[in-house]
């Protein structure tokens, strides 16, 4: 059975470290602690005194002053690993943690998970070929020697960097290594750790190389594991759930996110707020429990993007110059059907096409697979269609040889509505108001990835008000837009009411409008 030795790098909150160590060792696992040498000696001594009687706890023999992006983080990890390997001969796996990490599964679940596959879990992507690095320097991390910390000595860091570039002091990567990159939060088998420690003693050239690379905690272990371990025995993923904001900052979790964390496909999560005392208490109790029936839906990242994105509704780039100069034409009439339930709008448009000769295109700006004629490539992607929307619409009018054209838009596409209304052509808008049951909204959340197939009821209950408010808010924005020629039909309205709105929207006879309004199963889900 798996026995885990946790490698804990920490620098603050001694009380939290003590509690974390006790929770993780309560079921027989181990922990090796490296407490940053930059932190106070009193705090370090407090941790040692509190855990002195715990045989499953050990400490690095030598403390290192750690700095973000420096070799010191790797050295601290190696020091803790050496202490753990020596102190815990029964440990089968070594799991990298920080003081902000906490378990989101029980020890029983984690042990069974690790027993199921004899592999190492570490993100390991090709440094040069992958797009893992999103911002900042890339090849320069390796090609030049970095003696200063970019955060604490920015001027010296960049002066040294540019001097090396001017003098042509670029260096080569060790010839036998394929440099890899990935998250520093890994879980490795004992055999792998022993191979790495042996490698560090034998390959001083490699050690010298990494000691002057920038942010080596994202490349050192990732490269050595790929160099030493057969590829089939490596799973390129981290078992620690973490997310980053749009600004590259780690997302912090709080008391009300217990259920969300438990539903993620991971064993630990980072980072848990120090103030989230209830969340920390519940997660600590969870690790020592026997619970193994976790429902993994893994919707955390999509859910986070959805919720944070609500504050950015309406944001868009300025129109391109060719769009501002392009008009559909004064003699053209664009008819927009706006509906959140796409299948209802498509059914309505199908009925309109049956009763009239007005051509229609369904959700061309929302649905990549919407049918469009070949217009020379402008229609191939949603991005191109949206960027060149007026030119696209003009070409569609010409393709169908018509002065009237119907399109479908999602109710969230208010920017497109405003843009078309600002044109010299005539624009009419028909908003289709539908009833949204809880079951439909739950299905919608699962279809777009906001909730996994096995999402817990508590997660769904927390998500539903936000989605419902989002739908209502889109309708309110359309109403507040003050659009001319704006009509509505509704699922709960009478045939006569809907027929009147359709007659005005389409400028057709009473009989035709009523025939469309009476379309069988128009609003059925």
């Amino acid at each position: 059975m798996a026995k885990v030795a946790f490698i804990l790098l920490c620098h603050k909150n001694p009380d939290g470290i003590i509690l974390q160590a006790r929770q993780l060792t309560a079921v027989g696992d181990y922990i090796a602690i490296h407490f940053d040498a930059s932190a106070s000696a009193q705090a370090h001594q407090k941790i040692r005194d509190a855990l002195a009687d715990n045989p499953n706890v050990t400490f690095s023999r030598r403390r290192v002053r750690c700095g973000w992006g420096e070799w010191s983080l790797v050295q601290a990890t190696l020091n803790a690993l050496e202490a753990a390997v020596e102190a815990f001969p029964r440990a089968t796996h070594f799991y990298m943690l920080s003081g902000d990490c906490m378990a989101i599964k029980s020890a029983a679940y984690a042990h069974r998970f690790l027993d199921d596959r004899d592999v190492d879990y570490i993100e390991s992507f090709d440094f040069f070929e992958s797009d893992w690095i999103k911002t900042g320097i890339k090849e320069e991390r390796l090609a030049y020697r970095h003696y200063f910390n970019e955060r604490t000595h920015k001027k010296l860091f960049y002066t040294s960097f540019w001097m090396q570039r001017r003098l042509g002091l670029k260096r080569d990567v060790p010839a036998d290594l394929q440099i890899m990159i990935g998250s520093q939060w890994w879980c490795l088998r004992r055999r792998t750790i022993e191979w790495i420690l042996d490698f560090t003693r034998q390959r001083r050239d490699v050690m010298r190389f990494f000691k002057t690379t920038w942010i080596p905690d994202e490349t050192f272990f990732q490269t050595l594991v790929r160099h030493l371990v057969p590829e089939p025995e490596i799973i390129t993923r981290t078992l620690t759930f973490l997310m980053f904001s749009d600004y590259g900052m780690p997302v912090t979790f709080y008391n009300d996110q217990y259920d969300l964390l438990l539903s993620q496909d991971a064993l630990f999560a980072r980072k848990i707020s120090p103030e989230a005392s209830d969340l920390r208490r519940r997660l600590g109790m969870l690790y020592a429990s026997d619970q193994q029936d976790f429902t993994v839906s893994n919707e955390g990242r999509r859910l986070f993007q959805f919720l944070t994105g609500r504050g950015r509704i309406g944001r868009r780039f300025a129109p391109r110059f060719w769009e501002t100069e392009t008009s559909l034409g004064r003699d053209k009439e664009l008819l927009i059907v706006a509906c959140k339930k796409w299948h209802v709008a498509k059914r309505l448009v199908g009925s309109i096409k049956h009763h009239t000769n007005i051509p229609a295109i369904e959700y061309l700006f929302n649905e990549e697979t919407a049918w469009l004629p070949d217009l020379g490539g402008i229609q191939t992607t949603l991005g191109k269609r949206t960027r060149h929307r007026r030119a696209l619409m003009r070409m569609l009018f010409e393709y169908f040889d018509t002065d009237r054209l119907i399109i479908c838009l999602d109710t969230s596409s208010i920017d497109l509505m405003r843009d078309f209304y600002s044109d010299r052509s005539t624009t009419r808008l028909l908003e289709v108001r539908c009833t949204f049951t809880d079951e439909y909204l739950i299905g919608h959340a699962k279809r777009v990835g906001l909730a996994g197939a096995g999402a817990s009821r508590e997660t769904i209950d927390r998500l539903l008000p936000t989605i419902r408010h989002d739908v209502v808010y889109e309708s309110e924005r359309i109403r507040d837009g003050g659009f001319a020629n704006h009509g509505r039909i509704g699922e709960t309205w009478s045939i006569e009411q809907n027929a009147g709105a359709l007659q005005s929207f389409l400028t057709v006879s009473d009989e035709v409008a009523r025939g469309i309004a009476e379309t069988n199963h128009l609003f059925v889900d």
Side-chain angles (χ1 to χ4, degrees):
M1 179 179 175
K3 301 276 284 185
V4 183
F6 295 101
I7 306 302
L8 179 64
L9 266 56
C10 48
H11 65 282
K12 60 182 180 180
N13 191 17
D15 291 331
I17 299 304
I18 293 167
L19 178 60
Q20 186 180 22
R22 286 173 175 165
Q23 290 172 339
L24 293 176
T25 59
V27 291
D29 286 324
Y30 313 104
I31 190 167
I33 300 174
H34 178 278
F35 196 70
D36 198 322
S38 301
S40 71
Q42 292 83 359
H44 181 233
Q45 193 59 48
K46 180 178 182 179
I47 297 172
R48 294 191 73 109
D49 291 344
L51 300 173
D53 60 347
N54 190 329
N56 288 5
V57 177
T58 191
F59 292 84
S60 297
R61 287 201 183 94
R62 186 167 64 89
R63 295 167 63 202
V64 178
R65 291 181 180 273
C66 297
W68 185 89
E70 294 180 7
W71 169 256
S72 53
L73 286 173
V74 177
Q75 187 62 62
T77 305
L78 291 172
N79 292 350
L81 281 170
E82 289 174 345
V85 167
E86 181 179 342
F88 310 126
R90 296 181 60 196
T92 62
H93 294 77
F94 294 78
Y95 197 119
M96 182 75 177
L97 291 177
S98 76
D100 295 323
C101 296
M102 290 203 71
I104 56 175
K105 298 290 188 294
S106 66
Y109 180 98
H111 293 159
R112 188 186 66 186
F113 180 93
L114 295 175
D115 281 334
D116 282 346
R117 300 186 71 178
D118 186 21
V119 294
D120 295 308
Y121 293 92
I122 183 170
E123 281 192 350
S124 183
F125 303 99
D126 187 277
F127 184 92
F128 298 99
E129 299 298 328
S130 71
D131 62 348
W132 199 87
I133 298 174
K134 302 299 184 184
T135 60
I137 61 176
K138 184 174 180 179
E139 290 85 356
E140 293 86 353
R141 290 191 187 189
L142 309 175
Y144 299 101
R145 297 165 179 83
H146 300 279
Y147 301 103
F148 305 100
N149 190 297
E150 193 266 348
R151 290 191 172 182
T152 58
H153 298 92
K154 187 180 293 288
K155 186 175 181 179
L156 289 173
F157 179 91
Y158 286 106
T159 299
S160 170
F161 168 59
W162 285 111
M163 285 183 64
Q164 290 181 70
R165 287 197 65 170
R166 290 193 188 97
L167 295 173
L169 299 179
K170 192 173 182 179
R171 61 177 176 173
D172 294 326
V173 171
D176 60 331
L177 292 184
Q178 178 187 6
I179 304 299
M180 310 299 288
I181 192 166
S183 168
Q184 70 181 105
W185 312 110
W186 38 254
C187 178
L188 303 177
R189 295 167 296 174
R190 184 181 194 91
R191 183 185 65 177
T192 303
I193 292 297
E194 290 173 345
W195 285 350
I196 290 174
L197 294 177
D198 288 342
F199 186 92
T200 63
R201 301 181 190 107
Q202 297 166 10
R203 292 293 300 273
R204 294 300 176 185
D205 60 319
V206 173
M207 299 297 283
R208 284 194 300 271
F209 173 80
F210 278 107
K211 283 181 180 180
T212 52
T213 60
W214 182 234
I215 321 182
D217 53 302
E218 294 179 351
T219 55
F220 180 79
F221 290 99
Q222 296 76 3
T223 299
L224 265 59
V225 170
R226 185 67 65 171
H227 182 71
L228 298 170
V229 178
E231 185 172 354
E233 297 180 23
I234 302 172
I235 301 297
T236 306
R237 59 161 293 197
T238 176
L239 297 180
T240 299
F241 176 66
L242 67 163
M243 297 190 299
F244 291 90
S245 70
D246 293 347
Y247 307 101
M249 300 300 292
V251 173
T252 301
F253 300 105
Y254 296 93
N255 286 333
D256 61 347
Q257 292 171 309
Y258 177 81
D259 294 310
L260 180 144
L261 291 177
L262 263 61
S263 67
Q264 304 312 309
D265 186 16
L267 303 183
F268 281 76
R270 184 182 186 270
K271 49 194 279 183
I272 310 299
S273 170
E275 287 77 33
S277 55
D278 185 59
L279 178 60
R280 286 180 169 272
R281 178 187 61 81
R282 295 176 73 185
L283 291 177
M285 293 172 59
L286 172 71
Y287 191 71
S289 73
D290 294 326
Q291 182 178 346
Q292 295 200 38
D293 56 337
F294 294 91
T295 301
V296 176
S297 53
N298 216 31
E299 75 276 9
R301 289 181 177 83
R302 291 293 299 274
L303 181 59
F304 173 77
Q305 292 168 0
F306 169 75
L307 295 175
T308 55
R310 297 309 90 197
R312 296 191 289 274
I313 292 174
R315 185 183 69 177
R316 64 185 287 266
F317 293 105
R320 272 63 173 178
F321 72 90
W322 60 79
E323 293 177 330
T324 58
E325 297 300 323
T326 301
S327 171
L328 306 187
R330 292 185 185 277
D331 58 335
K332 300 295 189 294
E333 188 174 26
L334 179 63
L335 309 176
I336 300 173
V337 175
C339 182
K340 194 66 179 177
K341 290 185 177 181
W342 294 6
H343 60 280
V344 173
K346 291 177 180 180
R347 204 174 289 142
L348 174 64
V349 166
S351 181
I352 291 173
K353 290 164 70 176
H354 175 73
H355 287 85
T356 72
N357 61 354
I358 307 173
I361 299 288
E362 303 168 348
Y363 289 101
L364 71 166
F365 295 107
N366 305 110
E367 193 172 25
E368 191 90 55
T369 57
W371 177 86
L372 283 167
D374 186 355
L375 300 174
I378 193 175
Q379 82 289 346
T380 53
T381 67
L382 286 177
K384 286 184 178 180
R385 297 175 202 170
T386 304
R387 283 196 301 272
H388 311 301
R389 48 192 170 274
R390 292 197 189 184
L392 173 65
M393 295 308 304
R394 191 179 186 98
M395 293 171 75
L396 286 172
F397 275 107
E398 293 174 357
Y399 175 85
F400 287 109
D401 191 21
T402 182
D403 292 333
R404 306 184 77 203
L405 179 65
I406 300 173
I407 65 170
C408 297
L409 291 179
D410 189 270
T411 51
S412 64
S413 302
I414 192 166
D415 286 322
L416 288 171
M417 299 176 201
R418 288 187 179 128
D419 191 65
F420 288 131
Y421 261 94
S422 68
D423 191 74
R424 288 175 293 178
S425 61
T426 300
T427 304
R428 298 180 183 277
L429 175 64
L430 180 69
E431 184 185 354
V432 183
R433 306 291 295 273
C434 299
T435 300
F436 297 93
T437 63
D438 286 353
E439 289 72 19
Y440 176 84
L441 293 177
I442 292 170
H444 172 72
K446 291 179 178 178
R447 283 190 294 274
V448 300
L450 296 176
S456 68
R457 187 69 218 184
E458 291 160 325
T459 299
I460 293 295
D461 290 342
R462 185 176 292 115
L463 184 59
L464 270 177
T466 303
I467 299 177
R468 188 175 295 282
H469 179 270
D470 205 47
V471 172
V472 173
Y473 178 56
E474 288 173 1
S475 181
E476 291 299 319
R477 291 179 74 218
I478 293 174
R479 180 173 295 186
D480 294 340
F483 298 120
N485 305 318
H486 177 195
R488 300 180 187 85
I489 64 172
E491 182 172 356
T492 59
W493 298 359
S494 68
I495 295 293
E496 289 72 19
Q497 287 176 297
N498 287 341
L502 286 165
Q503 181 183 18
S504 176
F505 175 65
L506 298 168
T507 58
V508 294
S509 67
D510 293 345
E511 182 181 359
V512 171
R514 187 176 184 87
I516 297 170
E518 291 176 341
T519 300
N520 288 333
H521 313 299
L522 178 59
F523 293 97
V524 173
D525 288 336

